[in-house]
Amino acid sequence: MSSDAVGQNGAAIVVADAGKLYHIYDRPQDRLKQALFRWRRSDYFREFWALRHVSLDIQPGETVGIVGRNGAGKSTLLQIIAGTLAPSEGSVAVRGRVVPLLELGSGFNPEFTGRENVYLYGQLLGLSHEFMRERFADILAFADIGMFIDQPLKTYSSGMHARLAFSVAAFVDPDILIVDEILAVGDAAFQAKCARVFHRFRDSGRTILLVSHDPYLIRNFCQRALYLHEGRQVAYGPADLVADKYARAIEAKQMADGSIENSVTPAGGGHDLTALGIFRITEVELLDESGAPTRSIVSGSAPRLRFAYKRLRPGRERVTFVFSLYRHDGLYICGNTTLMERIEPFDAGAGGVVTVTFPRLRLLAGNYVWRVAIDDERAYGIYTEAANACPFQVVDAFQAVGLFDLERTWHVEIEPADGTH
């Protein structure tokens, strides 16, 4: 990879019309024939472009999301940027040390001990033995695998393997971090540590490429996003616009397949941290305008959603609060978090009460249900939640049909019929 292109405009990464071509063989013997008779190569394989005509530039300190369905070319693009794959066409230029978290532990040797693999991975990244030695104690403490560090990697569980791989990547000071759907490795406690490392990199101005199927995560953490479909670039731009475009495409596909259930990720939906047992929601109530609990509200009234929580374990976590609204059949109607409202995360304290007031809830007649949750300070990890809470019905005066009573003004102009005035 050359640094000429990145040097010209200060970008950390420049991808220019990149593509990756693979040859698909129907039979194993066709691969041998292609090797022997190269002048007739097209007779023995089919061309498959896993990626084509992709262009983007990423500035230092940006967090850029990459979305797309399975097979869209996301991992192929990341491997090209990481240098583990060469593009078949176009060019990629990168400035800075790249640490790819693609397949955790790729490059590890199962016959080596954990300790030996730590130093091996450092060598693969071009880091000195002394550099890795200085960070070894932090790596070992973060991985929390104890005496197994001196056992062969082949004796590790998959969770231990993932923890060691992430821990090494977390302490090698990358300029560019490439993350491919791996923040959910290990148990809930380790997931929380992984998320904190990710946030530390982001807040310290590192460049991050983040692949996720979660539009909420992309909108929450990324400045820009790339949407890929079948190896082609659909959109590249502001993260909220690209994530919305992707979410609409997924919903349309699910509707066409007849498989739509709850196609939109609930507000605040993310890694499940409930196993940590830090908080519990103790009460959820829907209150009418007089403040009395209710299971029925009038369309256009101003109800309040109230929930209480308490702390179960000592700690000093900062949290955000979440609500989501569903129709009785699971259709996701609306969700919101305090972080979306630009409200700073709260010190959780020993417990508390959260109230959301809806000045004019213009839902139309139907049956609905709430979900409330307490999330981490980034509104990504879920500490606790109460789903299917406070089922209620809405009654209206038949002023409209559907889901919402939209504010409106009618204006009608009638053209007179021929021969009339």
Side-chain angles (χ1 to χ4, degrees):
M1 296 186 190
S2 168
S3 62
D4 293 343
V6 292
Q8 291 174 3
N9 63 4
I13 301 169
V14 175
V15 178
D17 201 32
K20 183 62 181 178
L21 173 66
Y22 289 100
H23 295 162
I24 307 299
Y25 298 90
D26 294 324
R27 300 173 301 171
Q29 56 265 40
D30 289 342
R31 188 181 298 273
L32 175 61
K33 291 178 181 178
Q34 186 267 327
L36 294 175
F37 306 108
R38 290 183 179 275
W39 62 89
R40 298 178 56 193
R41 54 191 295 173
S42 61
D43 294 341
Y44 303 115
F45 64 82
R46 290 173 285 111
E47 290 188 344
F48 171 70
W49 287 93
L51 199 72
R52 200 162 203 197
H53 303 314
V54 174
S55 298
L56 67 155
D57 65 278
I58 300 173
Q59 298 302 311
E62 268 195 305
T63 300
V64 173
I66 303 177
V67 297
R69 303 185 69 192
N70 291 335
K74 304 184 301 296
S75 295
T76 300
L77 175 61
L78 293 189
Q79 291 180 63
I80 290 174
I81 293 173
T84 57
L85 277 180
S88 303
E89 65 179 13
S91 64
V92 177
V94 179
R95 181 173 62 188
R97 179 188 299 142
V98 179
V99 173
L101 297 181
L102 304 177
E103 297 179 11
L104 283 178
S106 57
F108 280 12
N109 189 322
E111 300 297 330
F112 289 3
T113 67
R115 185 184 301 271
E116 291 168 335
N117 272 294
V118 168
Y119 289 102
L120 172 63
Y121 192 72
Q123 286 183 318
L124 292 175
L125 293 175
L127 303 171
S128 69
H129 188 277
E130 179 65 19
F131 181 96
M132 296 303 296
R133 187 182 66 79
E134 291 174 354
R135 286 158 177 76
F136 187 83
D138 291 331
I139 292 170
L140 181 58
F142 191 92
D144 192 24
I145 59 174
M147 65 178 184
F148 282 94
I149 192 65
D150 289 311
Q151 299 300 314
L153 199 71
K154 63 184 180 183
T155 66
Y156 286 21
S157 68
S158 58
M160 293 167 58
H161 191 278
R163 292 205 305 272
L164 181 62
F166 190 96
S167 302
V168 174
F171 287 95
V172 295
D173 296 334
D175 299 304
I176 300 169
L177 181 68
I178 300 179
V179 184
D180 188 4
E181 294 280 17
I182 51 71
L183 290 179
V185 299
D187 56 21
F190 192 74
Q191 287 179 32
K193 291 204 295 186
C194 291
R196 286 195 293 271
V197 169
F198 173 78
H199 298 318
R200 173 167 59 84
F201 283 143
R202 182 177 182 272
D203 293 343
S204 63
R206 311 297 172 89
T207 305
I208 299 175
L209 274 70
L210 173 64
V211 164
S212 178
H213 292 286
D214 183 350
Y216 174 83
L217 175 65
I218 297 298
R219 291 180 57 136
N220 197 11
F221 292 119
C222 302
Q223 288 88 38
R224 290 192 287 173
L226 171 70
Y227 174 16
L228 295 174
H229 178 68
E230 295 182 349
R232 302 306 197 267
Q233 181 170 326
V234 177
Y236 181 54
D240 55 346
L241 299 181
V242 175
D244 284 348
K245 188 179 185 73
Y246 173 62
R248 290 195 302 271
I250 291 297
E251 185 171 351
K253 173 64 175 174
Q254 290 176 320
M255 291 180 67
D257 293 343
S259 61
I260 187 166
E261 293 178 357
N262 182 18
S263 62
V264 183
T265 302
H271 292 317
D272 185 0
L273 305 179
T274 56
L276 297 178
I278 299 175
F279 303 101
R280 185 172 73 221
I281 294 173
T282 58
E283 182 182 23
V284 186
E285 289 184 309
L286 182 64
L287 308 176
D288 63 19
E289 291 183 332
S290 69
T294 185
R295 291 295 182 93
S296 179
I297 65 172
V298 176
S299 180
S301 63
R304 286 174 286 164
L305 179 64
R306 175 186 175 276
F307 65 96
Y309 72 94
K310 69 177 183 179
R311 176 184 288 279
L312 304 179
R313 286 172 35 187
R316 302 183 64 181
E317 289 79 11
R318 286 165 57 79
V319 298
T320 55
F321 299 105
V322 182
F323 82 82
S324 300
L325 175 64
Y326 300 86
R327 198 169 63 183
H328 67 91
D329 58 0
L331 176 68
Y332 186 35
I333 296 174
C334 179
N336 186 246
T337 74
T338 51
L339 193 64
M340 287 181 180
E341 300 283 8
R342 303 296 188 266
I343 301 172
E344 286 293 315
F346 297 84
D347 293 323
V353 177
V354 180
T355 302
V356 187
T357 300
F358 303 94
R360 196 175 185 197
L361 190 63
R362 302 193 63 163
L363 285 173
L364 291 174
N367 296 298
Y368 304 89
V369 69
W370 299 97
R371 169 188 176 269
V372 295
I374 301 174
D375 286 2
D376 65 12
E377 63 180 313
R378 305 288 181 148
Y380 186 54
I382 305 169
Y383 283 127
T384 187
E385 65 180 341
N388 298 315
C390 289
F392 69 102
Q393 69 171 175
V394 174
V395 294
D396 61 36
F398 196 59
Q399 64 268 36
V401 293
L403 278 176
F404 297 101
D405 183 14
L406 300 178
E407 300 234 6
R408 58 200 173 265
T409 299
W410 291 77
H411 177 72
V412 181
E413 292 184 359
I414 304 294
E415 181 179 346
D418 292 343
T420 65
H421 299 282

